[in-house]
Amino acid sequence: MRAWFEAMSGIMRRDAILFLSYRTQLISQVLGPFFTIAVFYFISHLLKVQTFHSPGGYFGYVIVGLVIVEILTLSLGIMPGSVRQELVSGTIERFLVSAHGPVNGILGTMLFPLCNAFLSGVLTLVLATAIFGLPLAATSFLAIPVALLGVIAFMPFALLLVALVMAFKQAASATQFIVSGIAIVGGLYFPIAVLPGWIRWMSEVQPFTPATDLMRHLLVDTPLVHPAGVELLKLVGFAVVLLPAGFILLRAAIRYGQRTGTVAEY
Amino acid sequence: MSTTSAASTAPDRAHAPIAGAPLLELEHLYHRWKGPKPPVLDDVSLTLRTGEVTWVGGRNGAGKTTLLRLAAGILLPQRGSVRMGELTPASKGGLYRRRIGFLSAGDRSLQARMRVSQQLDYWARLAYVPRERRRELVDISLERFGLQEFAERRVDRMSMGQRQRIRLAMAFLHEPRALLLDEPRNSLDDDGYRLLGEQIERATAEGATVLWCSPRGEDRVLASDTGYTLEDGSLEQIE
């Protein structure tokens, strides 16, 4: 077990070294959220409607949505891209021939993007609070365990995209489709109440809506539609059902490539 | 820099089996790529024995790389089996791969922006080398392939021959029982070739087996015990 953890920390360390070796990447990751927050700060001045019951109004509402979009983009968006990069550069071979193995190796490549996404989300909140005066609720610290649970519930979607990359070598369009779709049906930029009835059911069959609602409640005191316990149970349920399914899918995609010989192709 | 002797740092080879005993057995392997092509491997069997070097040659596209990838567990057999004792890549993949050292052809599989020592440490972790031996094996590998002076240099700032030495160092680092080398002489200078020969001799003396594939006979390792050519999906032994 110790060897497993050391291999995982080795992959994470590798990804941190690679990330920090491109110095402008760090700067753009700090400046990017600042400008996005500024755009929505000024848009929020135009919107004075009764839909947003949190103290921060639309600004508070959308900032939490932005944090989740940030996490989705950096985890769902970057992860399949990183695995594709591993295929193209041939570095996936190290996983395929190592004791650690390809499934563990790919799982390891998810760690740094997830930590990075988490830190980026925290940075967005800090900037919104310190520079743009977002009133954070006293329960904000409770959002950390909820965010971690959310990440576990989001992970199967990343595993699905990575499985697509392993089987078909590309998943860029699927990634964009999934992230944009989640932004709409998960109520990240606007309340799901404004969606047409025929699409609203989709808000109930994925983990992003309960995660977003809980995070908003804890961070900016937006009232919950359902009790917190119900939202938490939904998140746990999605994680328990989808996570094993994601692993099975990834393993099957790798096995398919190993049988047909396409696993090392790109 | 540590100079601990190889024999004292080889847990897996500590009790070297009898020379010539079967170690890695490839039986009735069949592999066909998609499309209307004949199989690249058709009922190929090969036994790699302890302490021996086996060379497999053949024209480009004959199936040498496919054979090595099957032996390494990168690919799984469509028919036939690959096993090392009780271990197979499909059933006990982690344990199996722990005993395999693999070098692919070309110059891929390196993390371009990592330093050489970081690269080797990263590989040692993936290969499940215990923490207490990791530093020592990294240092030994740097020394064995003449890489000490480049230990802190980034991989993408090194020549092709130097990169090949790093890739070889990774294949040997965790002291595998079976070394599977695809065109290992690529880009190596005379000194690199000599170092490779020394490490093959050392590994086979400790009971490891080596499978060396390359298209040309002149690349054949000097101490090769058995030679085969792969043609039309079949192996033929060279007398």
Side-chain angles (χ1 to χ4, degrees):
Chain A
M1 203 61 188
R2 196 179 83 173
W4 186 89
F5 279 111
E6 285 178 7
M8 284 299 195
S9 69
I11 297 170
M12 212 170 146
R13 181 169 169 261
R14 172 201 75 167
D15 291 340
I17 290 169
L18 298 181
F19 178 81
L20 293 171
S21 74
Y22 297 98
R23 284 173 197 144
T24 53
Q25 205 169 334
L26 189 62
I27 297 165
S28 64
Q29 200 171 314
V30 173
L31 287 179
F34 172 81
F35 288 113
T36 312
I37 295 166
V39 167
F40 281 96
Y41 175 76
F42 293 114
I43 288 175
S44 71
H45 280 280
L46 301 172
L47 298 170
K48 299 290 176 198
V49 289
Q50 293 302 309
T51 318
F52 309 104
H53 300 292
S54 49
Y58 178 66
F59 184 58
Y61 183 93
V62 81
I63 285 298
V64 179
L66 285 177
V67 167
I68 293 176
V69 167
E70 189 103 8
I71 291 175
L72 287 177
T73 308
L74 284 174
S75 50
L76 290 192
I78 289 180
M79 244 179 272
S82 320
V83 173
R84 163 131 187 92
Q85 186 58 36
E86 302 259 6
L87 281 170
V88 173
S89 64
T91 47
I92 195 109
E93 181 189 284
R94 290 288 118 209
F95 297 149
L96 290 165
V97 297
S98 71
H100 200 48
V103 174
N104 286 323
I106 288 172
L107 190 63
T109 62
M110 294 182 169
L111 296 176
F112 181 77
L114 283 175
C115 289
N116 190 23
F118 197 77
L119 289 175
S120 194
V122 171
L123 176 73
T124 301
L125 285 172
V126 168
L127 289 175
T129 307
I131 300 175
F132 297 94
L134 174 75
L136 274 184
T139 51
S140 292
F141 68 96
L142 287 173
I144 294 172
V146 171
L148 291 175
L149 183 61
V151 162
I152 294 171
F154 296 172
M155 203 186 268
F157 292 83
L159 289 172
L160 165 73
L161 290 170
V162 170
L164 284 175
V165 172
M166 290 306 291
F168 306 110
K169 313 302 168 195
Q170 272 288 6
S173 52
T175 304
Q176 205 166 8
F177 174 76
I178 288 178
V179 173
S180 308
I182 288 165
I184 294 169
V185 300
L188 301 185
Y189 293 110
F190 47 79
I192 52 174
V194 303
L195 288 173
W198 60 269
I199 203 174
R200 214 176 297 160
W201 64 272
M202 290 184 76
S203 306
E204 301 297 327
V205 294
Q206 34 77 15
F208 303 97
T209 310
T212 310
D213 288 350
L214 275 170
M215 295 276 283
R216 278 204 180 105
H217 177 65
L218 295 168
L219 289 168
V220 294
D221 212 13
T222 305
L224 284 169
V225 179
H226 305 292
V230 173
E231 301 285 32
L232 267 176
L233 269 177
K234 277 190 200 170
L235 260 187
V236 172
F238 279 119
V240 167
V241 173
L242 294 179
L243 202 56
F247 277 113
I248 290 167
L249 210 62
L250 176 60
R251 190 179 291 271
I254 292 169
R255 282 285 160 113
Y256 167 79
Q258 287 181 309
R259 292 267 181 222
T260 56
T262 58
V263 72
E265 292 178 358
Y266 50 95
Chain B
M1 198 69 64
S2 172
T3 52
T4 314
S5 76
S8 67
T9 63
D12 208 31
R13 299 182 198 148
H15 306 289
I18 306 155
L23 181 62
L24 180 57
E25 292 171 279
L26 316 177
E27 291 176 339
H28 308 296
L29 290 181
Y30 174 94
H31 189 92
R32 196 170 74 85
W33 294 96
K34 281 181 184 173
K37 291 180 227 166
V40 68
L41 301 176
D42 192 2
D43 200 27
V44 167
S45 296
L46 179 65
T47 299
L48 304 178
R49 298 175 185 281
T50 54
E52 289 187 3
V53 178
T54 305
W55 178 80
V56 173
R59 60 178 172 77
N60 297 141
K64 302 181 296 295
T65 297
T66 305
L67 182 71
L68 276 171
R69 285 179 175 174
L70 282 163
I74 293 176
L75 301 184
L76 296 175
Q78 293 168 347
R79 273 186 241 155
S81 65
V82 174
R83 61 188 181 89
M84 188 185 288
E86 297 298 307
L87 305 176
T88 76
S91 63
K92 293 177 179 171
L95 288 172
Y96 178 85
R97 291 188 297 267
R98 209 167 172 168
R99 288 157 174 76
I100 296 287
F102 178 75
L103 175 88
S104 57
D107 67 335
R108 286 150 52 88
S109 85
L110 292 173
Q111 297 291 341
R113 295 175 75 92
M114 282 175 101
R115 298 178 195 286
V116 176
S117 57
Q118 290 172 334
Q119 183 82 48
L120 295 180
D121 178 79
Y122 166 62
W123 168 246
R125 285 167 182 259
L126 290 184
Y128 285 177
V129 172
R131 187 195 300 170
E132 51 275 13
R133 298 201 60 227
R134 215 156 48 219
R135 180 63 192 267
E136 173 199 357
L137 286 182
V138 167
D139 286 347
I140 288 173
S141 300
L142 288 169
E143 187 190 342
R144 283 177 178 165
F145 285 93
L147 291 163
Q148 302 104 310
E149 62 180 300
F150 311 112
E152 296 311 310
R153 188 179 292 183
R154 244 171 54 180
V155 171
D156 58 355
R157 292 174 180 162
M158 300 185 77
S159 73
M160 296 297 277
Q162 288 165 337
R163 289 183 203 190
Q164 182 72 345
R165 290 186 188 208
I166 303 168
R167 297 169 78 248
L168 282 164
M170 289 199 289
F172 282 79
L173 184 143
H174 55 297
E175 299 178 327
R177 301 291 312 277
L179 283 147
L180 309 171
L181 310 174
D182 200 355
E183 302 186 30
R185 205 178 165 177
N186 267 357
S187 304
L188 287 182
D189 57 16
D190 289 344
D191 187 47
Y193 187 48
R194 179 185 58 77
L195 290 172
L196 170 61
E198 282 176 14
Q199 293 319 310
I200 286 178
E201 270 182 36
R202 184 190 55 76
T204 50
E206 289 172 6
T209 191
V210 176
L211 175 58
W212 172 308
C213 289
S214 62
R216 291 183 304 273
E218 61 266 31
D219 279 351
R220 189 173 165 178
V221 68
L222 299 172
S224 175
D225 298 297
T226 325
Y228 296 86
T229 51
L230 184 58
E231 201 173 332
D232 298 328
S234 300
L235 272 182
E236 196 172 316
Q237 188 162 358
I238 301 167
E239 295 303 325

